[in-house]
Amino acid sequence: MSRVQAMNVARSGLSWWPALLLATLVLLAVFAPWIVPVDPDRQNLLGRLKPPGFEARGQVFWLGSDELGRDVLSRLIYGAQVSISVAFLSVALSGVVGVTVGMIAGYLRGTVETVLMRLVDIFLSIPAILLAIITVAVLGPGFINVILVLALTRWPRYARVAYGQTLALADRPFVTLARAMGAATPRVLLTHILPNIAGPLLVVATLEFGLMVLFEAGLSFLGLGVQPPTASWGSMLSTGRSYVASAWWIATFPGLALFLLVLSANLIGDRLSDQIGKGR
């Protein structure tokens, strides 16, 4: 076997694990109420800051306990529920807005194109995390507001991709024919253009998923995301930084979970990008 063949075999053998890891984290989030060892908000002050594996009153703290004696494992699982829910909903909302704007601008051209794409340029010129922090500070923290803020800051990326892809398809024969046969603009966009640009948009959505997880964790770390006592990886990291020397597990395990979730999403996005590139 040549070196190239060996590398291809190794790559194909390792390509499944990001999807398996992401699926595992999603399942943990979905079934969190049924699989957590104990209520994530249950306090046990006599068992505070206990290391992984400690047992107290018949309860085993598999990943240790935090400063209030709450089980880190239970809070980590519920934190996955928050992070994945926020990421999924914000990706869906920003994708719908951005794709709609991009397709309309690329298809209608003219003044509509100029106005919409300059609006996209304005949003892209503002640092996303800064815009998110300012908007959350105005609207207030909370689950719904975080989703709206993340969607507001990230829709221009979808718009850019949808705009470029639509421009490339707008003058293709099958689109021109549909227009000549009297198809309305919404029908042309939804039936003829959107299915042909779905691949690149799916890649963007996959990569944005990991970024949304990081943004949500960053906002929660700053106290602008999901509010206590609701478990969030970002808030767990914020709490754990004060106990790094004495209780390293409080920050380490949420940080590791964030790393694995974002890594798996990015690897899946890269894999999708390679497959779409090969298919063209």
Side-chain angles (χ1 to χ4, degrees):
M1 180 182 296
S2 67
R3 183 179 179 181
V4 174
Q5 290 175 326
M7 291 177 63
N8 289 336
V9 170
R11 184 178 180 182
S12 62
L14 293 174
S15 62
W16 56 269
W17 75 262
L20 178 61
L21 177 59
L22 183 60
T24 301
L25 292 172
V26 170
L27 289 175
L28 287 175
V30 171
F31 296 103
W34 295 278
I35 63 178
V36 292
V38 67
D39 184 349
D41 298 328
R42 177 184 173 186
Q43 300 182 12
N44 179 9
L45 296 181
L46 296 178
R48 63 190 299 270
L49 300 178
K50 298 302 181 181
F54 179 81
E55 183 176 356
R57 297 180 179 179
Q59 176 189 346
V60 179
F61 296 93
W62 295 108
L63 297 183
S65 62
D66 64 9
E67 79 285 0
L68 296 177
R70 297 172 297 189
D71 183 40
V72 172
L73 176 59
S74 299
R75 293 183 64 78
L76 192 68
I77 294 175
Y78 265 88
Q81 190 177 63
V82 170
S83 295
I84 292 175
S85 298
V86 169
F88 177 81
L89 293 174
S90 59
V91 164
L93 182 57
S94 59
V96 169
V97 174
V99 171
T100 301
V101 170
M103 288 198 304
I104 291 175
Y107 183 75
L108 295 182
R109 314 279 181 89
T111 304
V112 173
E113 174 189 16
T114 301
V115 172
L116 291 179
M117 296 316 297
R118 294 301 75 77
L119 181 64
V120 169
D121 292 337
I122 291 173
F123 272 86
L124 288 175
S125 66
I126 305 173
I129 189 63
L130 177 61
L131 179 60
I133 291 173
I134 294 174
T135 309
V136 170
V138 173
L139 296 179
F143 183 81
I144 300 298
N145 285 348
V146 169
I147 294 173
L148 293 176
V149 165
L150 294 181
L152 174 67
T153 58
R154 299 308 298 175
W155 67 268
R157 187 173 181 186
Y158 296 92
R160 273 291 184 188
V161 175
Y163 170 72
Q165 295 291 321
T166 303
L167 279 178
L169 294 175
D171 295 325
R172 296 284 292 273
F174 65 93
V175 175
T176 303
L177 179 60
R179 196 161 47 225
M181 294 179 65
T185 296
R187 180 176 179 83
V188 173
L189 294 177
L190 293 176
T191 305
H192 299 283
I193 292 181
L194 182 59
N196 287 286
I197 67 174
L201 293 174
L202 181 59
V203 173
V204 174
T206 305
L207 297 175
E208 284 288 300
F209 181 87
L211 191 59
M212 292 300 97
V213 172
L214 288 179
F215 274 8
E216 184 279 326
L219 291 174
S220 295
F221 183 88
L222 297 173
L224 298 174
V226 179
Q227 295 298 290
T230 303
S232 169
W233 290 348
S235 60
M236 292 175 71
L237 283 170
S238 180
T239 300
R241 65 177 174 168
S242 302
Y243 300 93
V244 172
S246 59
W248 55 266
W249 51 89
I250 299 177
T252 299
F253 292 118
L256 182 60
L258 272 172
F259 168 74
L260 292 176
L261 178 56
V262 175
L263 178 64
S264 61
N266 288 344
L267 289 176
I268 291 173
D270 290 341
R271 187 68 175 174
L272 286 173
S273 181
D274 292 342
Q275 292 298 323
I276 293 173
K278 291 178 181 178
R280 291 190 172 185

